[in-house]
Amino acid sequence: MRSYNKKQAIRILPAFFLLLVCSFPAFATNVKSAYLYNLSNFSGKIPYSDVRLHVDRARDEVYVLDRGIVKVFNETGMEVFWFGDNRALGTIYDIAVDEKGDLLLLSFDFSHPADGPDYWISKCNYRGDLKGTVRIGGLPGDFYGFCPNRMFMRGGELLLVSTSRMQAIVTDRNGKFQKGYDFGRIVDVPEKDRLTTEIFGFSVDRSGNMLFTVAVHFKAYVVSPEGKLIVSFGKSGSAPGMFGVISGIAVDDEGNYLVVERLRSVVMVFDREFRFVQEFGYRGEKPWNLIRPNEVAVGNSGKLYVTQLRNRGVSVFSLSSYGTEGGRQ
């Protein structure tokens, strides 16, 4: 009798453990978004329309570049300083901040159109006072005529991007060429399509990976610092989680990928496995609505900055991730 019970127990045990495992639902990531405020000054919300944005997380400040003028906002979204009226700075196209807090401006001179645009890097202190300039040199033949419109600091080096040519170069602090990327080749853009294919959104994550969107491909891409394609994701469509006309892209501290969808005026959230989680914004006149968003940038404490059109300014949201029982909702 005792032997019979033992055999029965052996047969029952696997089923018992299976039941035990199944009784605990799988945990998945969910994201909660909330509108916080718009970047403002003492007169109220600043009616920006499609501006360039840079978040300096080390100092918890936000830089907004609007028609050559740089305005600085503190951690509460209030304007605290501005500069850009110094002609020596040229026409400012982008801004980055190095580890010491010095500002790097991508400056242009268009006064001699016959010679093509002239560009350089202006090095400034935190108040925008010019400390020196850097010229880019030593470009190989594949990058002849390279003319950047985006700039990032990555591991102490400069990363300059031409979104129209789908190329990027890395230089040292003195502007000497170190390496280059041809994103058109990396993502297999046919030669006949090179002139009609360009990057819309671009950012760099904390590991130095380069994230960008190509609207005509309905795809977002992640490329390693070594120039290897890590992943591409996205499908064309107009439903939630689908790509219509995509633009800005970033990754938050939880590893969620944020992609701006212009047509539906939303920011889409994908988890670290590139599964669609949720979206927020939507066209409208409410404070939390968006009008044709473009860029997205991640700040401290889960803050997310989104630029948009029609004088709607820069909207600030909070994002928080948490596990949910039973999978995605």
Side-chain angles (χ1 to χ4, degrees):
M1 185 67 177
R2 185 173 298 172
S3 175
Y4 172 80
N5 288 341
K6 186 175 180 180
K7 291 179 180 178
Q8 285 291 89
I10 291 174
R11 284 198 291 266
I12 292 173
L13 272 176
F16 172 76
F17 283 116
L18 181 62
L19 179 64
L20 190 65
V21 169
C22 291
S23 66
F24 288 93
F27 278 77
T29 299
N30 203 348
V31 174
K32 181 180 180 181
S33 62
Y35 168 79
L36 298 178
Y37 51 77
N38 275 54
L39 298 185
S40 305
N41 57 23
F42 287 109
S43 298
K45 184 178 75 175
I46 300 178
Y48 284 129
S49 189
D50 226 5
V51 291
R52 179 60 47 77
L53 193 64
H54 176 80
V55 178
D56 177 15
R57 298 189 64 175
R59 280 149 285 275
D60 211 358
E61 293 181 327
V62 180
Y63 294 82
V64 174
L65 175 58
D66 182 27
R67 290 167 291 186
I69 298 297
V70 178
K71 291 191 176 182
V72 187
F73 297 83
N74 65 16
E75 71 278 8
T76 65
M78 286 296 295
E79 180 186 334
V80 293
F81 191 70
W82 71 269
F83 66 90
D85 55 346
N86 181 354
R87 291 187 177 181
L89 300 179
T91 301
I92 305 170
Y93 255 60
D94 206 358
I95 184 170
V97 183
D98 69 13
E99 65 277 4
K100 296 179 180 178
D102 284 337
L103 309 181
L104 303 170
L105 309 177
L106 178 56
S107 302
F108 275 82
D109 178 6
F110 297 99
S111 60
H112 302 286
D115 300 328
D118 179 28
Y119 73 91
W120 66 95
I121 310 300
S122 301
K123 299 179 69 174
C124 303
N125 64 16
Y126 72 98
R127 299 184 66 85
D129 299 324
L130 186 62
K131 296 173 62 176
T133 59
V134 173
R135 291 282 179 176
I136 307 301
L139 298 185
D142 287 348
F143 294 89
Y144 176 79
F146 178 81
C147 189
N149 61 328
R150 300 298 309 272
M151 178 176 64
F152 302 85
M153 283 296 297
R154 190 181 69 175
E157 296 180 317
L158 281 169
L159 174 66
L160 299 163
V161 182
S162 169
T163 57
S164 60
R165 288 181 51 156
M166 297 188 71
Q167 288 182 330
I169 63 170
V170 177
T171 78
D172 63 16
R173 294 176 182 274
N174 298 315
K176 184 179 179 181
F177 179 87
Q178 302 295 305
K179 67 183 300 184
Y181 304 99
D182 187 338
F183 297 116
R185 290 180 183 171
I186 293 172
V187 302
D188 294 326
V189 177
E191 200 60 36
K192 64 181 179 59
D193 295 334
R194 292 295 294 257
L195 294 178
T196 57
T197 307
E198 63 179 311
I199 291 171
F200 268 39
F202 194 101
S203 70
V204 179
D205 70 15
R206 290 190 167 186
S207 299
N209 297 317
M210 296 164 284
L211 294 69
F212 58 92
T213 59
V214 178
V216 297
H217 288 180
F218 307 100
K219 291 282 186 186
Y221 299 93
V222 181
V223 172
S224 73
E226 293 75 32
K228 302 296 183 183
L229 178 63
I230 297 175
V231 71
S232 66
F233 64 99
K235 293 181 179 178
S236 64
S238 57
M242 309 291 276
F243 289 4
V245 178
I246 52 173
S247 184
I249 182 171
V251 60
D252 71 9
D253 294 344
E254 304 297 328
N256 298 309
Y257 291 83
L258 314 164
V259 179
V260 171
E261 161 58 51
R262 288 181 174 181
L263 280 182
R264 294 187 298 108
S265 292
V266 297
V267 176
M268 297 179 288
V269 183
F270 297 84
D271 67 15
R272 59 179 67 233
E273 302 298 328
F274 309 100
R275 296 170 299 195
F276 175 67
V277 177
Q278 66 129 284
E279 61 186 25
F280 61 91
Y282 303 105
R283 192 176 296 108
E285 300 300 329
K286 300 293 185 183
W288 55 85
N289 290 139
L290 297 168
I291 300 294
R292 213 283 273 151
N294 188 36
E295 291 190 15
V296 60
V298 174
N300 293 333
S301 304
K303 290 178 185 173
L304 180 65
Y305 301 83
V306 184
T307 68
Q308 54 189 316
L309 278 182
R310 207 195 293 173
N311 302 321
R312 292 274 299 180
V314 177
S315 295
V316 185
F317 297 85
S318 70
L319 285 183
S320 56
S321 301
Y322 55 92
T324 59
E325 294 182 356
R328 291 196 310 279
Q329 297 176 350

